[in-house]
Amino acid sequence: MDVHVRDLRYFVAVAEELSFTRAASRLFISQPTLSKQIRQLESSLRTALFERDRRSVVLTPAGRALLTHASAIIGRWEDARRDVADVVARQDMVLTVGFQNRIGRGLIPSVTARMGVELPDWRLKFRQVSWGDPSAGLAGGEVDVAVTWLPVPDTGEFTWKVVSTEERWVALPVGHALAGRTAIPFSELASEPFIAHPPSAGALRDFWLAEDHRRTPARVVAEAENPDESFELVAAGVGIVLLPAENAEVSQRADVVHRPVLGLSPSRLAVVWRTKDRREAVHVFAESCARCLCYLPDGASSVPI
Amino acid sequence: MDVHVRDLRYFVAVAEELSFTRAASRLFISQPTLSKQIRQLESSLRTALFERDRRSVVLTPAGRALLTHASAIIGRWEDARRDVADVVARQDMVLTVGFQNRIGRGLIPSVTARMGVELPDWRLKFRQVSWGDPSAGLAGGEVDVAVTWLPVPDTGEFTWKVVSTEERWVALPVGHALAGRTAIPFSELASEPFIAHPPSAGALRDFWLAEDHRRTPARVVAEAENPDESFELVAAGVGIVLLPAENAEVSQRADVVHRPVLGLSPSRLAVVWRTKDRREAVHVFAESCARCLCYLPDGASSVPI
DNA sequence: GAACATCCATAGCCCGAGGCTATGACAGAA
DNA sequence: TTCTGTCATAGCCTCGGGCTATGGATGTTC
């Protein structure tokens, strides 16, 4: 009878890719699952939506009729989510800040102080988001503003200001052959097994695998959703992982050592918000982040939260 | 993340009724189930949608923000279903006819003959629909046209032509005290246990319980989704059931007897379609049904399919 | 032409979501 | 007080939506 919006999203993905396999990997589900769901949608509508003749997948007339409605419904649902989140944030005067690693860098005390002066009725709420979401929770409306590492999806939907630029370091298990060195050229690390962000992280995953600095893709042995998971895997000797310099300093563990990596472009921490979100609080927050970094010299800013 | 359209429908129902209990009974689900689903929707949106303070239920601002989107999404999904069904029917040249009882009355041969002349490329498909759907499958787009007993929901969404007017009879188990009579005044039946349509049938259920001819509501001992279920229950002595005169004639069973009932308004069989559906095939079909009855005298029309 | 790769479908398994009944807590009416 | 009506909670069961493994059909390559 009624449909799950997820299934409409599946349908649109297949209609766009005209391939079950590609659509499935874009949606981060298995191909049989996608086939099953589309079949189920077809049987609930009592008609075929795609013509599959072994080598090609094309929309039927019925599929074409559904496509515009499906996209509209998905879009309307996303509008609904954001409207609801906005109403809540506005009346509660709460700005939800998404972050992936710890934030640190002296941002929090500085920004809260400034927000307290400019918008005394507003409060900040912090929510840790998974590495798997490249928009750090902005796309789904779970957060109003995010402090995250670039790149974020460059679709015009998001706007950002760089807050900090830091060299990339590496986390190694204590017993590792290179753990004794004071700094390590990336060329010596390239063939090591790596811990990666989930595939859904997209360009951000590639950045922390330093794919731009390789000839052949990195050897990924495990995936982690957050820093603690990845440190645990490093300590267990499963693989190694790159991380920003500041995080190396604040995340000290007895079983993991951090070393600078030579020859990599630096990483950039940014404050990000939805381009369409014109609320004053968002801009005050972003401005505060940017300003805070002007006042403090690089060395003095490493205050873990 | 994504939502099921069903849950939006639940939400709209509660928003309209401002009561979980009433909304649940309107939706034909239990109240705890409805409460659970609304709570889940609230938690996925991370905000309350209703303010429940023991005696009253009111929308929160977030709930108000969601309501318009939710209605739009539900409406759009229903449009999608109908558009898809239309595309399929148009290109397949198939008109799907919904029916609840057997149709009979000589309609089928007469109408197929006429359709064959006027629209030779079209074919008819018949689908039995549950008594639980007062629109006989028209609302959900499962059928294009329905042959069903009045009343149908009178919202302007549907248009109909009466095809046959028949007295109401009663089905009794062979051993019943009144089975020996040739005709039975309704007053003698009123206090008997009745088999009813499902509650979702609404006004149609009331009609076949003859609620208009009673002082106190009928004593309902069981519910049935179709004629066979109800005859089975009658034969088992569970209760009795009213039915149209023609059906009494064509549904002969050794363990059930049919008798005319005196003092009830007659029942009316109609051909029904969606008011907005302007397809020629629909009108040819409806016209054929109406005409067929003009040619045949009442007695001669009882040809079971 | 044979071997291989690619793509969609099927089968079988597992877990969680969504349904139910039974029951509890609380407010207003009798 | 007691009864009634309303929403919440708990416990249970079924089915839907996810996965892996595998099969069959069709191009592609050597």
Side-chain angles (χ1 to χ4, degrees):
Chain A
M1 198 70 221
D2 279 337
V3 75
H4 201 300
V5 171
R6 176 200 51 224
D7 291 343
L8 295 181
R9 191 164 261 136
Y10 289 179
F11 165 72
V12 171
V14 176
E16 285 175 0
E17 299 285 348
L18 292 179
S19 153
F20 283 73
T21 310
R22 279 199 304 278
S25 85
R26 194 178 101 180
L27 294 163
F28 306 106
I29 60 173
S30 70
Q31 168 266 316
T33 298
L34 181 59
S35 288
K36 195 204 270 187
Q37 292 305 96
I38 295 291
R39 278 204 176 285
Q40 171 176 316
L41 182 61
E42 288 178 322
S43 88
S44 91
L45 291 169
R46 298 176 191 286
T47 180
L49 298 169
F50 297 100
E51 196 87 41
R52 304 102 151 141
D53 60 341
R54 282 294 165 225
R55 207 61 195 167
S56 71
V57 173
V58 292
L59 277 169
T60 61
R64 254 171 281 135
L66 180 60
L67 185 54
T68 53
H69 289 293
S71 306
I73 288 171
I74 293 167
R76 189 72 190 243
W77 169 240
E78 283 168 359
D79 292 348
R81 283 184 60 108
R82 266 200 290 276
D83 275 11
V84 167
D86 274 10
V87 165
V88 170
R90 220 177 286 272
Q91 73 173 2
D92 288 2
M93 309 260 222
V94 168
L95 200 68
T96 304
V97 182
F99 64 99
Q100 291 171 327
N101 311 298
R102 42 191 23 173
I103 300 180
R105 291 156 189 88
L107 272 176
I108 305 309
S110 163
V111 169
T112 47
R114 193 173 155 81
M115 293 280 291
V117 173
E118 297 223 9
L119 297 169
D121 292 335
W122 284 69
R123 286 173 306 109
L124 293 178
K125 205 157 87 181
F126 294 90
R127 173 183 316 250
Q128 179 157 21
V129 296
S130 156
W131 278 342
D133 181 354
S135 78
L138 286 166
E142 302 138 51
V143 309
D144 301 304
V145 66
V147 178
T148 186
W149 297 93
L150 298 182
V152 293
D154 191 9
T155 57
E157 196 183 349
F158 307 115
T159 309
W160 60 85
K161 273 189 179 142
V162 173
V163 154
S164 171
T165 299
E166 300 177 12
E167 296 305 320
R168 282 185 268 183
W169 287 37
V170 65
L172 304 166
V174 280
H176 195 279
L178 297 166
R181 310 271 288 277
T182 52
I184 306 167
F186 180 66
S187 55
E188 296 186 43
L189 292 171
S191 58
E192 292 282 320
F194 268 71
I195 320 286
H197 288 39
S200 54
L204 189 61
R205 167 180 161 122
D206 292 344
F207 178 81
W208 286 109
L209 291 171
E211 296 285 8
D212 283 353
H213 297 266
R214 299 171 180 275
R215 302 225 169 73
T216 58
R219 183 152 64 90
V220 173
V221 289
E223 286 162 6
E225 296 270 340
N226 57 55
D228 288 332
E229 275 181 38
S230 62
F231 288 139
E232 215 52 56
L233 289 162
V234 170
V238 173
I240 67 174
V241 67
L242 298 177
L243 74 171
E246 287 280 341
N247 284 44
E249 291 192 26
V250 300
S251 311
Q252 303 288 1
R253 294 174 52 131
D255 47 6
V256 173
V257 298
H258 305 290
R259 295 288 176 261
V261 179
L262 307 174
L264 289 182
S265 56
S267 57
R268 293 172 302 152
L269 185 67
V271 51
V272 190
W273 62 96
R274 290 186 288 271
T275 309
K276 283 189 295 190
D277 190 344
R278 303 230 163 273
R279 281 178 290 164
E280 187 192 4
V282 170
H283 289 89
V284 170
F285 181 89
E287 171 99 0
S288 308
C289 290
R291 251 216 236 179
C292 142
L293 267 284
C294 299
Y295 289 135
L296 296 172
D298 262 26
S301 69
S302 53
V303 182
I305 55 170
Chain B
M1 199 70 221
D2 279 336
V3 76
H4 201 299
V5 171
R6 175 199 52 223
D7 291 343
L8 295 180
R9 189 164 261 138
Y10 289 180
F11 165 72
V12 170
V14 175
E16 284 175 1
E17 298 285 347
L18 292 179
S19 153
F20 283 74
T21 310
R22 278 199 305 276
S25 86
R26 192 176 103 181
L27 295 164
F28 306 105
I29 59 173
S30 70
Q31 168 266 316
T33 298
L34 181 58
S35 288
K36 194 203 272 188
Q37 292 304 97
I38 295 292
R39 280 204 173 285
Q40 171 177 316
L41 183 60
E42 289 178 318
S43 89
S44 91
L45 291 169
R46 299 177 190 286
T47 180
L49 297 169
F50 297 101
E51 196 87 42
R52 305 98 150 143
D53 61 339
R54 282 292 165 228
R55 207 61 194 167
S56 71
V57 173
V58 292
L59 277 169
T60 62
R64 255 171 281 137
L66 180 60
L67 185 53
T68 53
H69 290 294
S71 307
I73 289 171
I74 294 168
R76 189 72 191 245
W77 169 241
E78 283 167 359
D79 292 348
R81 283 183 61 107
R82 266 198 294 271
D83 275 12
V84 168
D86 274 11
V87 166
V88 170
R90 218 178 287 270
Q91 73 172 2
D92 288 2
M93 309 259 219
V94 168
L95 200 68
T96 304
V97 181
F99 63 99
Q100 291 171 328
N101 310 298
R102 42 188 25 171
I103 299 180
R105 292 154 188 89
L107 271 177
I108 305 308
S110 161
V111 169
T112 48
R114 193 174 156 80
M115 293 280 291
V117 173
E118 298 224 7
L119 297 170
D121 293 335
W122 284 70
R123 285 174 307 109
L124 294 178
K125 204 157 86 181
F126 294 90
R127 171 181 318 240
Q128 179 158 22
V129 296
S130 157
W131 278 343
D133 182 353
S135 79
L138 286 166
E142 302 138 52
V143 308
D144 301 304
V145 67
V147 177
T148 186
W149 297 93
L150 298 182
V152 293
D154 191 10
T155 58
E157 196 182 348
F158 307 115
T159 309
W160 60 85
K161 273 190 178 140
V162 173
V163 154
S164 171
T165 299
E166 301 177 11
E167 295 305 320
R168 283 185 268 184
W169 286 36
V170 65
L172 303 167
V174 280
H176 194 280
L178 297 167
R181 309 271 288 276
T182 52
I184 306 166
F186 180 65
S187 54
E188 294 187 45
L189 292 169
S191 58
E192 292 283 320
F194 268 71
I195 320 287
H197 288 39
S200 54
L204 190 60
R205 168 181 160 120
D206 292 344
F207 177 82
W208 287 108
L209 291 171
E211 295 286 9
D212 282 352
H213 297 267
R214 298 170 180 277
R215 302 227 168 71
T216 58
R219 183 153 65 91
V220 174
V221 289
E223 285 162 8
E225 297 270 339
N226 58 56
D228 289 331
E229 275 181 38
S230 62
F231 288 139
E232 215 51 57
L233 289 161
V234 169
V238 173
I240 66 173
V241 68
L242 298 177
L243 75 171
E246 288 280 342
N247 284 45
E249 290 193 26
V250 300
S251 312
Q252 302 288 0
R253 294 173 53 130
D255 46 7
V256 174
V257 298
H258 305 291
R259 295 288 175 261
V261 179
L262 306 174
L264 289 181
S265 57
S267 56
R268 292 173 302 152
L269 184 67
V271 51
V272 191
W273 63 94
R274 290 186 287 271
T275 308
K276 283 189 295 191
D277 190 344
R278 302 231 164 272
R279 282 179 290 164
E280 188 192 3
V282 170
H283 288 89
V284 169
F285 181 89
E287 171 100 359
S288 308
C289 290
R291 251 215 238 181
C292 141
L293 267 284
C294 300
Y295 289 135
L296 296 171
D298 262 26
S301 69
S302 52
V303 183
I305 56 171

